[in-house]
């Protein structure tokens, strides 16, 4: 065998179904991509199908409701019971099958979230309001709903259902001693708390027999005091293993603290939840064990299977960042996998900027329209790109792939632009991987790179380019404050790599995402840091889930203090003078002051190149300051028009 990943790519036989490898996609919903219709749109079908096309063995879809539904206008909510809706769901399964993958559907979120009932009276619902204790009649109705939905999915052509019994959602909240305060037969003892889950499994099996695979997702640990432990997770798995086919071991629960474990970002180490699946696997369970949580590195995934820590890896965000991840496993191309940076932009698409998107993959959200938007180039052109940051590199790669001659100029001695700071920050390790991925792809391409080159209009004119693209980035804003030019004042990004030149007490002016992350980075190096923010909350520019994770870390750090509604009036040798929320004068002391109040685009600097080619474009931050996602989308959308 000449495969680099023999264990990861080994087929898995489960009942009468053979999966072609051990790479599953974990359930991820594309709510803002579905236009709130009660069936999968073409956009959603294409997105799921591309994961199958990209080599996944099983694609797990999200959105099927247990009951006929009108939807809530926000989440994907597929009605399994109307024929015209079932046709679209059948097309979804067919498109997944077309590319050789098996089709699975998650059950237990859509059609249950939004109910007024919870496990116990007063328990918080998803919207934070107190629940009414679910009556036994409703428990029966939901169990039957699971069975009816599973039977409908079998008829439609799905190979498996994934029952979501984890993360403190409805059935998970019954299982957890932390949330289940019932005094009837569905509460109290472990057996009673598991009664609802067992009822659902039994009702499904009574409807479909063994003709449909059942995977069950659990939290291997809720990590909350008094919550589900790994010992209970193992006991529950052994209780149900004779009636299900695979156990999917996740972690955490709903709530601002424990959901950050469910969706691990770079504040946690790589693949932090695998140890839970390993404990379940090595407890002697008889069914295949699936692990999940921040897995995207193929070498790491291979080691999980080869070392017997799990039988299957489930990947959600990694397949969004790179839908060809599975294909690259077959080709042994781990270095060419586009890394997910765990920013949670995809997860928050339904409630943050209201469009489905990915920070590192500019095609996401447009996959069903790419053939229209990115038509082949009409002829080969010479393109000069000024600036070797993420936007410049992405544009260069796309243009080269489209057959153009590309010359990339960078004034410093290395590519990477503003992303270079990520190498210095412990919790930006995936952003550093993404920077290095772009650099590696440029090095492997036909792009002609000129480093240490200060570009002038005259130099570009000599190139006689058909197209000139400015990707000059932005620079920090220097507010007009008394003392801003003091020797103790620094802009945020230039401090990375020079932290030892700062004193042990630092004041950060500006509590946006960059300011907060800079402060946290300095705290981790042992410095005492105070953040001053003029608005009423910190990091309002961060996506919702990432902001939650960031705030958790800020609140936990003993070295950090922050004040909101503080207006800075002057910088002195002692620190920063401010007006607090009550308009009173305050002095916040610190030996050094870091300013992080935004960036100014290099628009004027870019504009001097406007007449140096037949066509001119400005992309990335020099066009409009924004996130990595906006820089990548700007670069891609420009490049595919050339």
């Amino acid at each position: 065998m000449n495969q680099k990943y023999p264990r990861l790519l080994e087929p898995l036989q489960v009942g009468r179904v053979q999966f072609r490898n051990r790479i599953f996609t974990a359930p991820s919903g594309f709510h803002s991509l579905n236009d709130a219709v009660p069936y999968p749109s073409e956009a959603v079908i294409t997105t799921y199908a591309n994961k199958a096309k990209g080599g996944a063995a099983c694609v797990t879809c999200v959105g099927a409701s247990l009951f006929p539904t009108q939807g809530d206008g926000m989440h994907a909510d597929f009605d399994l019971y109307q024929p015209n809706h079932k046709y679209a769901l059948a097309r979804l399964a067919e498109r997944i099958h077309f590319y050789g993958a098996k089709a699975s559907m998650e059950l237990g979120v859509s059609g249950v979230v939004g109910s007024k009932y919870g496990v116990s009276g007063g328990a918080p619902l998803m919207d934070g309001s107190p629940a009414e204790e679910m009556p036994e009649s409703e428990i029966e109705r939901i169990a039957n709903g699971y069975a009816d939905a599973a039977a409908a999915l079998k008829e439609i052509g799905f190979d498996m259902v994934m029952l979501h019994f984890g993360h403190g959602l409805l059935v998970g909240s019954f299982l957890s001693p932390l949330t289940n305060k019932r005094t009837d037969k569905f509460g109290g003892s472990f057996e009673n708390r598991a009664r609802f889950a067992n009822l659902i499994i039994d009702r499904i099996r009574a409807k479909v027999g063994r003709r449909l695979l059942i995977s069950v997702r659990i939290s291997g640990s809720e990590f909350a005091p008094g919550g589900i432990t790994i010992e209970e997770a193992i006991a529950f798995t052994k209780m149900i293993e004779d009636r299900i086919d695979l156990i999917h071991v996740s972690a955490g629960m709903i709530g601002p603290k424990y959901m950050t474990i469910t969706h691990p970002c770079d504040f946690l180490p790589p693949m932090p939840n695998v140890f839970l699946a390993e404990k379940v696997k090595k407890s002697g369970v008889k069914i295949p064990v699936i692990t999940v949580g921040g897995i995207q590195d193929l070498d790491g995934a291979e080691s999980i299977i080869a070392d017997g820590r799990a039988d299957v890896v489930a990947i959600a965000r990694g397949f969004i960042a790179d839908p060809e991840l599975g294909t690259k496993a077959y080709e042994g191309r781990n270095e060419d996998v586009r890394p997910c940076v765990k920013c949670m932009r995809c997860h928050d698409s339904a409630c943050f900027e209201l469009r489905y998107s990915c920070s590192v993959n500019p095609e996401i959200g447009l996959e069903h329209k790419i053939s229209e938007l990115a038509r082949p180039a009409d002829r080969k052109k010479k393109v000069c790109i000024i600036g070797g940051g993420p936007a410049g590199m992405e544009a260069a790669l796309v243009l080269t792939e489209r057959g153009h001659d590309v010359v990339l100029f960078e004034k410093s001695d290395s590519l990477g632009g503003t992303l270079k700071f990520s190498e210095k920050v412990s919790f930006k390790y995936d952003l550093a991987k993404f920077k290095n991925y772009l650099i590696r792809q440029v090095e492997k391409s036909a792009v002609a790179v000129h480093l240490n080159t200060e570009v002038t209009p005259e130099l570009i004119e000599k190139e006689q380019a058909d197209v000139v693209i400015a990707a000059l980035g932005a620079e920090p804003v220097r507010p007009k404050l008394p003392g801003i030019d003091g020797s103790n004042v620094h802009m945020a990004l230039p401090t990375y790599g020079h932290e030892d030149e700062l004193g042990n007490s630092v004041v950060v002016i500006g509590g946006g995402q960059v300011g907060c992350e800079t402060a946290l980075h300095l705290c981790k190096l042992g410095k005492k840091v105070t953040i001053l923010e003029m608005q009423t909350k910190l990091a309002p520019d961060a996506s919702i889930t990432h902001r939650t994770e960031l705030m958790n870390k800020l609140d936990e750090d003993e070295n950090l203090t922050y004040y909101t509604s503080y207006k800075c009036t002057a910088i002195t040798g002692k620190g920063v003078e401010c007006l607090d929320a009550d308009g009173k004068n305050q002095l916040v002391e610190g030996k050094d002051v870091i300013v992080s109040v935004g960036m100014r685009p290099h628009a004027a600097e870019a504009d001097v190149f406007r007449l140096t080619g037949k066509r001119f474009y400005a992309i990335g931050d020099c066009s409009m300051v924004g996130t990595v996602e906006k820089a990548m989308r700007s670069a891609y959308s420009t490049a595919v028009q050339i």
Side-chain angles (χ1 to χ4, degrees):
M1 177 179 290
N2 59 5
Q3 288 175 338
K4 185 177 179 181
Y5 304 112
R7 296 304 306 277
L8 186 63
L9 300 175
E10 181 182 5
L12 175 68
Q13 189 74 35
V14 183
R16 292 179 291 181
V17 176
Q18 186 178 80
F19 298 96
R20 61 185 172 188
N21 59 52
R22 308 300 181 96
I23 308 170
F24 288 14
T25 72
S28 53
F30 311 123
H31 307 304
S32 58
L33 199 60
N34 203 59
D35 300 329
V37 293
Y39 50 83
S41 66
E42 179 58 31
V44 166
I45 291 174
T46 301
T47 296
Y48 281 126
N50 280 350
K51 300 175 193 305
K53 183 179 179 181
C58 180
V59 176
T60 308
C61 307
V62 174
S65 177
L66 302 182
F67 308 104
T69 179
Q70 297 296 318
D72 64 3
M74 181 179 184
H75 297 91
D77 211 358
F78 306 148
D79 191 327
L80 296 168
Y81 303 100
Q82 292 295 326
N84 56 333
H85 302 160
K86 291 167 74 172
Y87 298 150
L89 284 154
R91 286 196 296 274
L92 171 59
E94 181 184 35
R95 290 271 286 279
I96 292 169
H97 290 152
F98 182 86
Y99 293 112
K102 304 304 179 185
S104 178
M105 179 68 78
E106 176 189 85
L107 291 177
V109 179
S110 297
V112 175
V113 171
S115 167
K116 67 178 180 179
Y117 295 120
V119 57
S120 305
L125 297 171
M126 286 288 283
D127 63 3
S129 60
E132 296 180 27
E133 182 167 295
M134 182 173 287
E136 189 169 338
S137 59
E138 182 69 2
I139 291 172
E140 287 282 336
R141 187 181 80 91
I142 289 174
N144 289 333
Y146 270 97
D148 291 341
L153 287 163
K154 177 190 168 296
E155 176 195 1
I156 286 165
F158 279 77
D159 306 285
M160 183 165 71
V161 291
M162 193 202 83
L163 310 182
H164 201 320
F165 291 175
H167 301 175
L169 296 174
L170 182 62
V171 181
S173 67
F174 272 76
L175 289 169
S176 175
L178 178 64
T179 51
N180 189 336
K181 305 302 181 184
R182 301 175 72 100
T183 57
D184 62 1
K185 65 181 181 181
F186 291 97
S189 69
F190 167 68
E191 290 74 18
N192 281 357
R193 287 183 278 112
R195 191 183 300 275
F196 188 17
N198 278 294
L199 181 65
I200 291 168
I201 295 168
D202 289 340
R203 293 285 167 86
I204 292 174
R205 283 299 182 211
K207 275 264 186 180
V208 303
R210 284 285 178 175
R211 295 171 295 167
L212 183 72
L213 295 183
I214 296 176
S215 167
V216 170
R217 170 178 267 195
I218 60 171
S219 289
S221 171
E222 290 182 324
F223 289 98
I228 291 171
T229 63
I230 185 60
E231 290 76 20
E232 280 210 342
I234 291 169
F236 177 67
T237 301
K238 292 184 175 181
M239 174 187 283
I240 64 174
E241 65 179 344
D242 289 337
R243 290 166 291 146
I244 69 170
D245 300 285
L246 302 100
I247 190 73
H248 184 126
V249 184
S250 186
M253 61 189 302
I254 57 174
K257 185 173 184 179
Y258 304 109
M259 280 294 283
T260 62
I261 299 169
T262 302
H263 306 290
C265 69
D266 281 3
F267 292 123
L268 294 174
M271 305 187 301
N273 297 332
V274 174
F275 79 99
L276 295 169
E278 181 178 9
K279 287 181 179 293
V280 174
K281 172 74 176 170
K282 293 184 176 178
S283 71
V285 299
K286 297 180 290 186
I287 56 177
V289 176
I290 305 171
T291 188
V292 68
I295 300 168
Q296 57 175 317
D297 179 77
L298 294 174
D299 292 343
E302 170 72 11
S303 71
I304 290 170
I305 309 301
D307 296 344
R309 289 180 281 169
D311 301 288
V312 174
V313 295
I315 301 171
R317 290 171 289 176
F319 261 102
I320 297 169
D322 194 338
E324 296 180 340
L325 190 150
T327 298
K328 291 175 181 178
Y330 282 103
E331 296 171 352
R333 296 167 52 208
N334 193 41
E335 72 280 3
D336 293 330
V337 174
R338 186 181 291 250
C340 164
V341 295
K342 301 183 189 148
C343 65
M344 301 305 293
R345 178 65 181 87
C346 56
H347 182 272
D348 293 340
S349 289
C351 52
F352 183 78
E353 296 192 350
L354 303 181
R355 58 186 176 80
Y356 182 60
S357 188
C358 170
S359 287
V360 300
N361 185 345
E363 292 188 354
I364 290 300
L366 303 173
E367 291 170 282
H368 62 303
K369 292 290 186 180
I370 286 298
S371 61
E372 299 175 27
L373 297 172
R375 297 184 181 277
D378 57 353
R379 64 182 178 86
K380 189 173 187 176
K381 299 181 178 72
K382 181 174 183 179
V383 184
C384 288
I385 300 174
I386 310 165
M393 289 190 285
E394 174 69 8
L397 291 169
V398 175
L399 287 162
T400 303
E401 187 176 342
R402 289 171 62 78
H404 299 301
D405 285 333
V406 181
V407 183
L408 176 62
F409 297 96
E410 166 56 40
K411 69 178 180 180
S412 74
D413 61 359
S414 61
L415 299 174
T418 56
L419 298 189
K420 292 177 184 177
F421 86 96
S422 60
E423 297 282 0
K424 311 294 183 182
V425 187
S426 62
F427 53 85
K428 290 292 182 182
Y429 60 86
D430 274 315
L431 189 61
K433 286 182 184 178
F434 175 61
K435 171 188 69 75
N436 293 332
Y437 159 85
L438 288 174
I439 294 171
R440 190 164 56 246
Q441 298 307 305
V442 169
E443 291 173 344
K444 292 170 64 174
S445 75
V447 176
V449 178
H450 297 276
L451 301 175
N452 298 304
T453 304
E454 188 75 43
V455 178
T456 64
E458 292 75 21
L459 187 154
I460 296 298
E461 285 174 353
K462 289 180 182 179
E463 293 287 331
Q464 297 184 327
D466 296 293
V467 180
V468 175
I469 297 176
L472 295 174
E475 66 181 32
V477 171
R478 296 181 71 88
K480 294 180 179 179
L481 281 174
I484 190 67
D485 296 321
S487 61
N488 63 332
V489 180
H490 318 271
M491 298 298 108
L493 288 180
T495 63
Y496 288 96
H498 301 279
E499 298 89 345
D500 57 348
E501 298 172 16
L502 301 174
N504 290 327
S505 61
V506 179
V507 180
V508 175
I509 299 176
Q513 181 174 338
V514 172
C516 289
E517 291 181 347
T518 300
L520 184 61
H521 167 62
L522 294 174
C523 287
K524 288 181 175 294
L525 297 177
K527 300 183 186 298
K528 298 286 186 180
V529 183
T530 303
I531 302 173
L532 304 177
E533 170 55 43
M534 190 164 57
Q535 299 187 66
T536 57
K537 69 176 185 178
L538 298 183
D541 53 332
S543 66
I544 293 167
T545 304
H546 181 72
R547 181 181 182 275
T548 299
E549 295 177 323
L550 179 58
M551 289 305 301
N552 285 343
K553 296 302 176 185
L554 295 175
D555 290 336
E556 291 169 2
D557 201 303
E558 295 179 353
N559 287 330
L560 191 135
T561 304
Y562 59 83
Y563 299 103
T564 57
S565 301
Y566 264 52
K567 182 179 180 180
C568 301
T569 57
I571 302 173
T572 72
K574 294 182 179 181
V576 181
E577 294 178 355
C578 311
L579 293 176
D580 65 18
D582 298 322
K584 296 179 180 179
N585 291 314
Q586 302 287 350
L587 173 64
V588 179
E589 295 185 359
K591 185 177 185 302
D592 285 280
V593 177
I594 292 177
V595 178
S596 179
V597 295
M599 303 288 284
R600 181 190 71 81
H602 283 149
E605 293 87 338
D607 200 56
V608 302
F609 297 99
R610 187 168 298 280
L611 301 179
T612 58
K614 296 174 184 176
R615 290 295 303 271
F616 172 82
Y617 300 91
I619 63 173
D621 281 354
C622 76
S623 173
M624 179 180 291
V625 173
T627 59
V628 171
E629 175 218 337
K630 287 182 169 57
M632 296 296 288
R633 179 64 67 87
S634 167
Y636 179 85
S637 62
T638 298
V640 298
Q641 297 175 51
I642 297 169

